[in-house]
Amino acid sequence: MLAQLSQDDDVRLVAVRGGIGAVPGVRSAGVHAGIKLRKRDLAVIAFDQPQVCASVITTNEIKAAPVLVSAEHIAGDGVFRAIVCNSGCANACTGERGDRDARESGVKSSNDAAEAIMTTDRVPKLAAYEFYIAEKKYVVGGIAKGSGMIAPNMATMLAFVATNLPMSADALQSELREAADATFNMISVDGCMSTNDALYAFAPAGEASPPAPFVRALHQVCSDLALAMVADGEGATKTLTVHVRGAKDVAQARTIGRAVINSNLVRTALYGEDPNWGRIIAAAGSVNAGLDPATWWLQLNGKTWVQPGAIEALSEAEAHSELELTDIVVDLHLGIGEARATAWGCDLSKDYVRINASYRT
């Protein structure tokens, strides 16, 4: 499940292979350091020249040592030459020992690096797009991990994004926050938040304001990585895209979209292919975002499902047939305004319970 490319008459993005390794001046590798029994578990990403860094980190009040130490580094001189990241050892709630270990661990193969940061992921997650400005080619690329403990409002994950387009740290931070709000903050697998989720972006130092092609490329890379997490959700058999349309503002649309994809009742109905639209609208109304009971209506995979006034337009058999597909799209029209937002989730299966009941660290 990939988002549609964002482009207009004067902006063209070209998908390229290699993730963060597709960015000129970026080198990456993944090795087995012994944290896990067999798989690669330590990734290193190095930059040929000093970089500025932007970040969006977990909102959990309990933050792991690597997240805190990284925030301290960003607040320092703000110049970076490498990233070191491990998997299989969260280093959270570890006190002074954890802080010391995080600092000491910091003392070309993008697929290897993407694999080395994986935990319960089944597949590596990479995305990269190139674009041109004044006939010069630039690239935005990234890698990510995330499969479980994925919740709206900074999904539990790790993601590293880089570009060869010079810009200031403030400009990069602003654009990264906007991209995260529309992508990583709009996905859910299980509604759980960890102590370690973090998104970091790097660019050579510069002063120019980010041009439109870069903004679109950044959003597309973040979107691809976020949706790859949903598709790879622990135990997931189906993906769910929820378009909330006709909202009074984007905040309302996002709040309602998150409520739907985060509902256990919606996700279990999706797994069981049960056309219980009542679970969707109940989740939408549960967050007190100003839903009008008289104006909303639903579409399922582009077909009118429920008309205003809660009148069913699809029979139960017809709706069930639509839910047998792997990728499900629900459009919730609020009938209040012109704003819209999209959220992405997946079903909640028996395998999710099995995976997390037997997961030991």
Side-chain angles (χ1 to χ4, degrees), residues 220-310:
Q220 194 63 52
V221 166
C222 290
S223 177
D224 285 6
L225 295 176
L227 299 189
M229 294 180 195
V230 169
D232 195 29
E234 290 177 344
T237 68
K238 298 177 184 290
T239 59
L240 173 64
T241 300
V242 178
H243 299 297
V244 180
R245 307 181 187 275
K248 64 181 179 181
D249 52 39
V250 173
Q252 181 192 43
R254 286 179 173 174
T255 298
I256 290 175
R258 291 185 185 118
V260 174
I261 62 167
N262 219 28
S263 166
N264 284 341
L265 290 178
V266 170
R267 292 186 290 121
T268 50
L270 186 64
Y271 174 68
E273 299 172 352
D274 176 12
N276 188 344
W277 55 263
R279 292 187 177 185
I280 296 174
I281 199 62
S286 69
V287 287
N288 298 314
L291 185 69
D292 187 337
T295 60
W296 66 268
W297 58 286
L298 282 174
Q299 288 179 297
L300 177 59
N301 297 334
K303 300 178 181 179
T304 301
W305 189 7
V306 184
Q307 297 174 340

Side-chain angles (χ1 to χ4, degrees), residues 119-121 125 144-148 150 156-158 228-230 232-233:
T119 47
T120 58
D121 306 57
K125 298 166 180 64
K145 80 93 183 173
S147 183
I150 303 292
T156 302
M157 33 66 78
L158 292 176
M229 294 180 195
V230 169
D232 195 29

Side-chain angles (χ1 to χ4, degrees), residues 19 34 77 105 189 191 220 236 273 282 289 299 302 354-355:
D77 60 16
S105 68
V189 168
Q220 194 63 52
E273 299 172 352
Q299 288 179 297
R354 176 186 58 78
I355 291 168

